[in-house]
Amino acid sequence: MDPRMRNNLGGSSSPYLRQHADNPVHWQQWGEEAMEWARERNVPILLSIGYSACHWCHVMAHESFENDEIAAVMNANFVCVKVDREERPDIDAVYMNATVAMTGQGGWPMTCFLTPDGSPFYCGTYYPPTPRGGMPSFTQLLEAIIDTFTNRRDEVDNAAQSIVTELQRASGGIPYGGAPIDAELLNAAGRSILGDEDVPRGGFGGAPKFPPSALLEGLLRQYERTGSGEILGGIERTAEAMARGGIYDQLGGGFSRYSVDAEWVVPHFEKMLYDNALLLRFYAHWARRTGSDLATRVTEETARFLLSDLLTENGCFASALDADTDGVEGLTYVWTPTQLVEILGAEDGQWASELFRVTDTGTFEEGASVLQLLRDPDDWSRWQTVSDALRAVRAQRPQPPGPDDKVVTAWNGLTVTALTEAGLALDRPDWITAAAECAGALLDLHLVDGHLRRASLGGAVGVPTGVLEDYAMLATGLLALYQATGLARWLDAAQQLLDVTVDHFADPAEPGSWFDTADFAESLVTRPRDPLDGATPSGASSVAEALLTAAALTDAERSSRYAQAAADALARATLPLERAPRSAGHWLAVAEASLRGPIQVAVVGEGSLLADARRLAPGGAVVVGGAPDSSPLLADRPLVDGGEAAYICRGFVCDRPVTTVVELASQLNTTSHTAM
């Protein structure tokens, strides 16, 4: 028997693909071998894209892919290919664009039908096993595709070619130029973002609501520059609503993927590494800037969640926790008043029900409630005792399946940055140590022959090559570690990654435009690039951040190259900042840093000034400390009267050195709106 006529997912480096290894479908992994088999058989490719924490992916798998009759139709008439979107974001991006172009919307599970060369001719998302709500059954769809491909092949090929042509046309970069990156542009972007704020409930737009992580960081940097109470109010309304709502795990820490309602009450319970890394960075920054007790507590709890629930054996971080327990979403996490009384006793049970908004009617399904904490408890000691008791009981409940312990380079890079910056903000050197262990493991395992791989599983690195966000986000994390520790290893590694990025991801025909895949990576029907920020910062805005930071830290030759590349990238950010600032949150953060220089603070000597500089400097500033001449930024910067001194520069303009925290705060212009 042809060895391809079986399910071939068992050896995958993706936990999501392994979840489908027992399906009766003869799933293949993406690659030339699958396409060659489709050409040999002269059948279309059925491409199914999803990810491990996707609820409807599991539903379609149970309904259709575990069904022997449906699987027989698939196996007889298609080459069936399964892709983990988190492991292959390049494939996901190409075919998601095709799905949106054909249907007007996208999502997962994604179901695409391709010619044997990979060109899409029909795309959709979830299909039920029987006709439902105007949708055909999955079997009906398969039969229609088979008939069309067999009897109207010319139409299929023409449609596929038209779609590919349109995808290639739409994959161009954002135009260069436009308005300059200045205070007027960025202030207007901030006003536009706040114009979409849901003021009573926090957040932007309506349900479902996703944490606007990058937007909040960008707005916080704008507040640091302007001191605007309006900007700070918008930040705090959203940040507090999320931290007090059901989207935040009030017992275990960490944020769920999104809220299904506009009030942040009921989450989709999956927890993603990238969300929690981005939110940890923001809440730590908010805590550092304002001294907010809420921000401090959420920072501590979110870091604890990452280090307890997502940490893998090799010191890196798993990708996600599933939403479902025994096939039921949220089963582990919801409560009734009766349960609270049974666990805590009548008095504490009633107190906890009122505090956590656990009602008789419930806020979730079947009379259960998601815990909220809409006000601070009147007795923190009692709250701690109650929380400990509920956490212990919850740990004995049925739990979601183990984490998706695939280690994704980019998301671990975000986590390295977040733990490092949070560790500096809250004086937690153990978090910085954890960040360093993660970074070291990534460099040891994911950097193969000078090029990054996208992911690993169980200490074995996968085959897919790293994409732009992998290089950029890891480089940013390494640069954060370098600033925190002064160890040249981190700067050297960041420079190595950025050199590869500039050489192999930049579009030589369009300065400042970046492809999401390298020129040495596998060729798809189109080379993807998406400069807009989404659930995570785009690869383009992330590389702009890394280049801007590195330019201030490295030697003169590299500095010039990096600075020009960052400037070119930002020149292409003006259009989204003008027209779609809610899709340019990380661009806003990088632009705010760029507008101020970025600020560079070099502290020589021993004393408290370095800690003061880290506390007072705005987000995106570059802060290093050490002996005179011990690094490029400390070159030719001597002690002052034999004691410590801070040298502050903005771009190419430097102030006189200062020796006191008051002078430091004055030069950083943070005395008027910073917690001292």
Side-chain angles (χ1 to χ4, degrees), residues 128-253:
T130 57
R132 185 189 308 162
M135 284 190 293
S137 72
F138 189 47
T139 303
Q140 288 174 326
L141 175 65
L142 295 177
E143 291 171 347
I145 295 292
I146 295 164
D147 177 70
T148 302
F149 190 85
T150 303
N151 299 315
R152 291 184 285 165
R153 181 64 181 272
D154 288 346
E155 294 179 26
V156 168
D157 291 340
N158 289 337
Q161 183 56 53
S162 296
I163 293 164
V164 169
T165 299
E166 176 58 24
L167 291 176
Q168 292 171 341
R169 186 200 63 79
S171 66
I174 295 175
Y176 190 92
I181 297 288
D182 59 15
E184 182 179 356
L185 171 68
L186 301 188
N187 293 345
R191 289 192 299 271
S192 176
I193 293 166
L194 289 188
D196 290 335
E197 184 192 2
D198 181 351
V199 175
R201 294 171 291 199
F204 304 93
K209 279 184 174 172
F210 291 79
S213 314
L215 275 180
L216 291 173
E217 176 66 21
L219 289 172
L220 185 54
R221 293 186 185 188
Q222 186 163 120
Y223 164 68
E224 290 177 311
R225 175 175 58 84
T226 65
S228 166
E230 182 181 8
I231 292 289
L232 182 61
I235 294 166
E236 293 187 329
R237 282 188 293 272
T238 294
E240 182 164 346
M242 291 194 304
R244 295 192 179 282
I247 192 174
Y248 182 69
D249 186 343
Q250 302 297 340
L251 295 182

Side-chain angles (χ1 to χ4, degrees), residues 47 49 83-86 88-101 108 110 112 167 171 467 516-517 524-530:
L47 173 65
I49 302 178
V83 167
D84 180 348
R85 67 173 294 259
E86 297 173 348
R88 292 301 304 265
D90 51 341
I91 296 172
D92 178 67
V94 168
Y95 294 104
M96 179 59 75
N97 287 339
T99 302
V100 171
W108 302 275
M110 194 192 320
C112 298
L167 291 176
S171 66
V467 295
D516 287 323
T517 55
L524 303 174
V525 294
T526 185
R527 191 175 176 189
R529 58 175 154 193
D530 184 359

Side-chain angles (χ1 to χ4, degrees), residues 179-357:
I181 297 288
D182 59 15
E184 182 179 356
L185 171 68
L186 301 188
N187 293 345
R191 289 192 299 271
S192 176
I193 293 166
L194 289 188
D196 290 335
E197 184 192 2
D198 181 351
V199 175
R201 294 171 291 199
F204 304 93
K209 279 184 174 172
F210 291 79
S213 314
L215 275 180
L216 291 173
E217 176 66 21
L219 289 172
L220 185 54
R221 293 186 185 188
Q222 186 163 120
Y223 164 68
E224 290 177 311
R225 175 175 58 84
T226 65
S228 166
E230 182 181 8
I231 292 289
L232 182 61
I235 294 166
E236 293 187 329
R237 282 188 293 272
T238 294
E240 182 164 346
M242 291 194 304
R244 295 192 179 282
I247 192 174
Y248 182 69
D249 186 343
Q250 302 297 340
L251 295 182
F255 290 84
S256 294
R257 182 68 195 90
Y258 62 86
S259 171
V260 302
D261 57 87
E263 290 80 17
W264 305 101
V265 176
V266 177
H268 182 45
F269 289 90
E270 64 184 344
K271 290 180 179 177
M272 308 302 296
L273 175 61
Y274 55 77
D275 284 321
N276 283 283
L278 290 165
L279 289 166
L280 174 61
R281 186 185 195 187
F282 160 71
Y283 277 93
H285 189 181
W286 181 30
R288 175 170 68 88
R289 182 53 59 234
T290 68
S292 162
D293 290 338
L294 176 63
T296 300
R297 178 171 62 82
V298 170
T299 300
E300 292 171 341
E301 292 172 353
T302 302
R304 183 181 65 198
F305 160 71
L306 289 172
L307 292 166
S308 62
D309 288 31
L310 294 183
L311 189 64
T312 66
E313 290 183 358
N314 71 344
C316 296
F317 293 86
S319 295
L321 290 181
D322 206 319
D324 295 354
T325 301
D326 295 339
V328 180
E329 184 169 0
L331 181 65
T332 304
Y333 303 103
V334 295
W335 305 83
T336 65
T338 299
Q339 289 172 334
L340 296 186
V341 170
E342 289 174 350
I343 296 163
L344 303 169
E347 187 174 346
D348 278 353
Q350 178 63 32
W351 183 80
S353 293
E354 294 176 359
L355 182 66
F356 288 122
R357 292 296 196 273

